[in-house]
Amino acid sequence: MIEQLLTDKVKEAVNSLYHLDADPSQIQLQNTRKEFEGDITLVVFPFTKVSRKSPEATATEIGEYLKLNLSEAEDFNVIKGFLNITIKKEYWLNFLTENYNSDNFGYGEKSNEKPVVVEFSSPNTNKPLHLGHIRNNLLGFSLSRILAASGKNVVKVNLVNDRGIHICKSMLAWRKWGNGETPESSGMKGDHLVGKYYVVFDKYYKEEIGNLVVEGLTPEDASKKAPLIIEAQQLLQKWEAHDEETINLWGKMNGWVYEGFAITYKTLGIEFDKTYYESQTYLLGKELVEKGVKQGVYNRRDDGSVWIDLSAEGMDEKLLLRSDGTSVYMTQDMGTATQRYEEYNPEQLIYVVGNEQEYHFNVLKVVLKHLGCEWADSIYHLSYGMVELPEGKMKSREGTVVDADDLMQEMFDTSEAMARELGKIESFDDLEARNLYRTIGLGALKYFILKVDPKKNMLFNPDESVDFNGNTGPFIQYSYARIKSVLRKADESGLEVTMSKAQDADMFPQEKELLKKIHDFPVVLAQASDMHSPAVIANYAFELASEYNRFYHDLSILKEDNISSQSLRLSLSHFTANIISNALWLLGIEVPERM
RNA sequence: GGCCUCAUAGUUCAACGGAUAGAACGGAAGUUUCCUAAACUUUAGAUACAGGUUCGAUUCCUGUUGAGGCUACCA
């Protein structure tokens, strides 16, 4: 890669000119802005101190050195403190020749080192998946692919939260008011059916609270003394005591939910290497807490509860074990993290979890380190922002959630309507048309969510739904389909891609821009895996597609009678299509061969 | 109260401390003998406020204002 060559040569240059052993961070290379002549720009301000010359003079000296000593350097010009270097055409053409047929251009070497474990999704089993889960799933899945492409050995895991008071609420409501309703009898998807009874529970629970408040209780007391919540808690105790009837009901209703989730995951295109169930892991961690008490790093109070004092770290006291000896969230997470560490010996443990749990993960790390687990440093919380609706935050109890299944169906319907309106599918058979709606609809949804920096809250307006024009997935998919169409036509016309001919071609500035953009892909990929950000890949894919469309929109590639130019354009098109498809694959987005 | 995050065109999003802050949608005006108009071209429009560090600040630091989150013997 030219960046590496330049970095080395610049280092050599400042050493020879100014006797400076330059730090890599001082050598700042960037793509030259389009309005200036040149390909790559060196920012020379960091060297003006040692050169004791003006930025212009310094840039000129370094430029002269590079032109003399770097064979790829064609020429240079200086504007203020910016040294714009032009790279020889041969370099770009050689780069094209060597890589245009490479299927995994830019991907890192596959390493056999310790794995990276990525946990994402982690749903509760009392209700269907919603828009917030979609952001989680897409981020986790795309991140896993990006890390894998950069050479890591990735393990995707899901921890299903299948036990607890929430599922007991659904169970109780179903038993009281369900009349034996099943997914088969109701025609409902299993997760939606269970979610329905969660809402039913909440309705009657709220009524009871209301009545108690009328009788004179405070809302807080009322919410604790309502008969329904007490009954639900008793159900949880029965579950923990392995009561057969309770376990059976729990197993049955969870089974419905899993069937529903499986469909949602499949539609969304998400899969895991391993799924853990909280019912099997929730007892883990208690031993760790006891161990901590023995070591004197945690404190047991008179009532039997266990705490850790984190005031030295600038945090509060935190409960690790209840007075009745049962686990809390933190206890379990200590256990599952330890289990996962022992199982995989990972280089990194990544948790894709919303930013409302940032404090929890900070505490988790510190609590483990107090126990002497140095590996706690390998825990990384990929914290993402909330998905907000125009009317504010989603609240499942207030029914302002956007259901994942409904949303995807809407996307499919919208893309179908658009395709029909545009007359896109006249030559398609039914199956191909249906696949296209799915591909486009999902592409729109995924791209819309992934293009936003994970850490930021994002706004989702269901009424406007997701666009199909502009900076969108379908635009990129369209660009891909169009390139494929060009290549098909070329093939039918008997045109051949001959790189030896292309080497003789003149390269238009726009063609070089496109090639430079492709050339950047490995750098972008590395950056994305460093920053854990699919958004970097998404925005890159859009820029690449735009670049292609802008240049070729009114140019007849096939009618060009100069064989060299034709070869250059076809191979450039082929290469662009490859990179677009690779970039979208990293986002979990499919490309259509035609649309 | 304490702690954390965010604040950029009318709207949704960009910008390793670098050049004249980019796109897209929406607004206004155009472009179909061609590979495919889900496209392309032109145009108006923004760094919340006040200081500081720097050759250079949307970016780093301090303060103010505004939005969200956390601060449960819930998970």
Side-chain angles (χ1 to χ4, degrees):
Chain A
M1 288 289 115
I2 193 71
E3 285 82 5
Q4 194 54 50
L5 291 174
L6 273 170
T7 305
D8 293 345
K9 273 300 172 202
V10 170
K11 194 173 163 69
E12 199 180 298
V14 293
N15 204 327
S16 145
L17 291 167
Y18 315 124
H19 311 290
L20 172 73
D21 188 20
D23 188 82
S25 67
Q26 288 177 291
I27 301 173
Q28 299 175 38
L29 294 170
Q30 54 190 261
N31 282 331
T32 304
R33 289 196 159 212
K34 280 184 190 168
E35 58 266 38
F36 301 110
E37 171 105 28
D39 295 319
I40 297 176
T41 296
L42 174 74
V43 183
V44 299
F45 290 108
F47 307 121
T48 52
K49 264 186 193 152
V50 287
S51 74
R52 297 170 175 278
K53 288 175 183 160
S54 70
E56 288 85 349
T58 310
T60 306
E61 280 187 350
I62 297 174
E64 298 283 4
Y65 185 96
L66 292 177
K67 192 172 170 181
L68 219 61
N69 294 290
L70 183 66
S71 57
E72 283 81 0
E74 168 95 38
D75 206 352
F76 71 93
N77 66 82
V78 175
I79 297 171
K80 293 196 273 183
F82 299 91
L83 171 62
N84 302 323
I85 305 152
T86 305
I87 305 300
K88 282 183 182 157
K89 188 186 83 174
E90 287 72 26
Y91 172 81
W92 298 115
L93 287 172
N94 281 335
F95 162 72
L96 175 61
T97 310
E98 284 165 19
N99 296 295
Y100 83 106
N101 245 342
S102 152
D103 284 335
N104 52 0
F105 166 71
Y107 286 19
E109 287 287 312
K110 185 83 188 159
S111 82
N112 289 319
E113 289 176 16
K114 295 175 173 181
V116 174
V117 178
V118 184
E119 178 190 307
F120 61 102
S121 200
S122 309
N124 288 358
T125 58
N126 62 322
K127 53 181 188 283
L129 303 180
H130 60 67
L131 184 52
H133 294 116
I134 291 188
R135 190 176 195 188
N136 181 305
N137 284 316
L138 296 182
L139 279 173
F141 191 68
S142 175
L143 172 66
S144 302
R145 283 198 167 168
I146 290 170
L147 291 173
S150 70
K152 304 281 186 192
N153 179 8
V154 178
V155 185
K156 304 186 289 287
V157 306
N158 188 4
L159 175 61
V160 179
N161 189 358
D162 61 345
R163 51 128 249 143
I165 193 73
H166 48 81
I167 181 70
C168 289
K169 289 177 181 177
S170 293
M171 284 157 61
L172 186 61
W174 182 85
R175 216 167 57 183
K176 280 182 180 295
W177 297 291
N179 296 319
E181 191 175 36
T182 65
E184 290 74 32
S185 75
S186 64
M188 281 177 88
K189 215 161 144 274
D191 49 339
H192 287 254
L193 182 68
V194 172
K196 174 178 149 187
Y197 286 99
Y198 187 70
V199 173
V200 168
F201 175 92
D202 207 57
K203 191 182 108 192
Y204 289 114
Y205 178 40
K206 279 215 175 93
E207 273 181 27
E208 287 186 355
I209 293 175
N211 293 339
L212 289 173
V213 169
V214 171
E215 288 169 24
L217 270 69
T218 65
E220 201 182 327
D221 282 344
S223 67
K224 283 179 188 162
K225 289 187 177 160
L228 269 176
I229 193 72
I230 290 172
E231 213 175 330
Q233 279 160 356
Q234 285 166 350
L235 201 54
L236 181 59
Q237 282 159 17
K238 276 182 163 177
W239 182 88
E240 297 208 356
H242 307 292
D243 173 67
E244 197 183 330
E245 194 204 328
T246 308
I247 297 280
N248 285 343
L249 178 59
W250 171 81
K252 180 162 75 177
M253 289 182 73
N254 268 337
W256 295 343
V257 172
Y258 298 148
E259 284 171 22
F261 281 177
I263 291 169
T264 308
Y265 284 140
K266 185 158 190 279
T267 310
L268 198 54
I270 302 289
E271 66 214 0
F272 302 93
D273 299 313
K274 185 151 183 180
T275 300
Y276 294 89
Y277 296 91
E278 203 191 277
S279 53
Q280 289 158 16
T281 62
Y282 80 106
L283 293 174
L284 295 171
K286 283 190 190 184
E287 288 169 27
L288 290 170
V289 174
E290 294 301 337
K291 188 173 145 201
V293 171
K294 279 201 193 102
Q295 289 180 7
V297 291
Y298 307 151
N299 318 309
R300 171 160 275 136
R301 289 187 182 169
D302 293 341
D303 64 5
S305 58
V306 177
W307 298 72
I308 182 168
D309 182 5
L310 298 171
S311 48
E313 282 84 2
M315 295 183 266
D316 303 321
E317 271 197 302
K318 192 79 192 169
L319 177 82
L320 298 179
L321 208 60
R322 292 197 190 97
S323 49
D324 63 6
T326 56
S327 314
V328 288
Y329 183 33
M330 187 62 69
T331 327
Q332 296 173 36
D333 258 8
M334 291 168 67
T336 51
T338 305
Q339 183 195 41
R340 217 163 281 171
Y341 171 74
E342 286 166 356
E343 190 172 346
Y344 296 105
N345 188 25
E347 174 192 326
Q348 204 168 25
L349 262 174
I350 298 175
Y351 291 83
V352 182
V353 179
N355 63 10
E356 76 272 14
Q357 290 193 33
E358 242 154 45
Y359 184 68
H360 171 80
F361 280 99
N362 285 338
V363 172
L364 176 64
K365 280 200 221 183
V366 175
V367 166
L368 286 169
K369 292 208 77 167
H370 276 244
L371 257 190
C373 305
E374 288 307 314
W375 54 265
D377 283 330
S378 67
I379 291 175
Y380 181 89
H381 174 202
L382 177 67
S383 164
Y384 62 89
M386 306 273 120
V387 181
E388 286 163 4
L389 300 175
E391 56 274 17
K393 200 184 162 180
M394 288 193 287
K395 295 243 166 43
S396 45
R397 293 199 198 126
E398 290 167 24
T400 55
V401 288
V402 175
D403 178 77
D405 296 314
D406 294 348
L407 178 60
M408 286 191 284
Q409 190 56 50
E410 264 176 53
M411 297 306 300
F412 300 154
D413 293 345
T414 309
S415 59
E416 175 171 358
M418 298 274 289
R420 286 186 190 283
E421 193 183 328
L422 293 166
K424 288 281 178 187
I425 49 151
E426 278 146 22
S427 63
F428 284 50
D429 64 38
D430 274 3
L431 180 67
E432 196 181 6
R434 265 211 312 283
N435 282 338
L436 184 69
Y437 310 145
R438 283 177 48 109
T439 304
I440 304 293
L442 265 184
L445 178 62
K446 290 184 177 182
Y447 186 85
F448 185 85
I449 287 171
L450 289 175
K451 77 172 178 185
V452 181
D453 186 337
K455 77 177 177 208
K456 291 195 175 178
N457 286 0
M458 63 175 293
L459 186 80
F460 188 90
N461 189 337
D463 293 333
E464 292 170 14
S465 198
V466 176
D467 276 331
F468 290 78
N469 296 314
N471 185 356
T472 65
F475 169 83
I476 303 169
Q477 290 172 318
Y478 167 75
S479 307
Y480 176 86
R482 198 159 145 262
I483 296 173
K484 284 304 205 186
S485 168
V486 169
L487 295 174
R488 269 197 302 272
K489 271 285 190 311
D491 194 45
E492 284 165 17
S493 317
L495 297 177
E496 276 181 71
V497 180
T498 321
M499 277 313 298
S500 56
K501 294 281 185 194
Q503 285 286 4
D504 301 331
D506 284 329
M507 200 161 25
F508 283 90
Q510 296 97 320
E511 285 170 323
K512 194 160 86 176
E513 281 303 317
L514 185 59
L515 197 48
K516 275 166 70 180
K517 188 68 82 184
I518 294 170
H519 184 268
D520 281 343
F521 183 61
V523 179
V524 173
L525 181 54
Q527 196 193 358
S529 55
D530 276 354
M531 298 166 59
H532 296 185
S533 179
V536 174
I537 298 289
N539 287 302
Y540 169 82
F542 175 68
E543 282 173 27
L544 182 60
S546 295
E547 198 74 56
Y548 187 88
N549 275 343
R550 262 201 291 278
F551 183 43
Y552 285 122
H553 78 276
D554 63 348
L555 203 88
S556 176
I557 296 172
L558 304 178
K559 289 203 169 159
E560 174 64 60
D561 46 78
N562 179 326
I563 301 287
S564 313
S565 306
Q566 217 169 61
S567 289
L568 173 63
R569 286 171 194 181
L570 288 174
S571 45
L572 199 46
S573 296
H574 176 81
F575 201 0
T576 306
N578 264 358
I579 300 302
I580 288 180
S581 120
N582 282 358
L584 289 185
W585 185 83
L586 292 173
L587 302 172
I589 298 174
E590 290 176 23
V591 284
E593 290 303 300
R594 56 188 192 133
M595 70 183 270

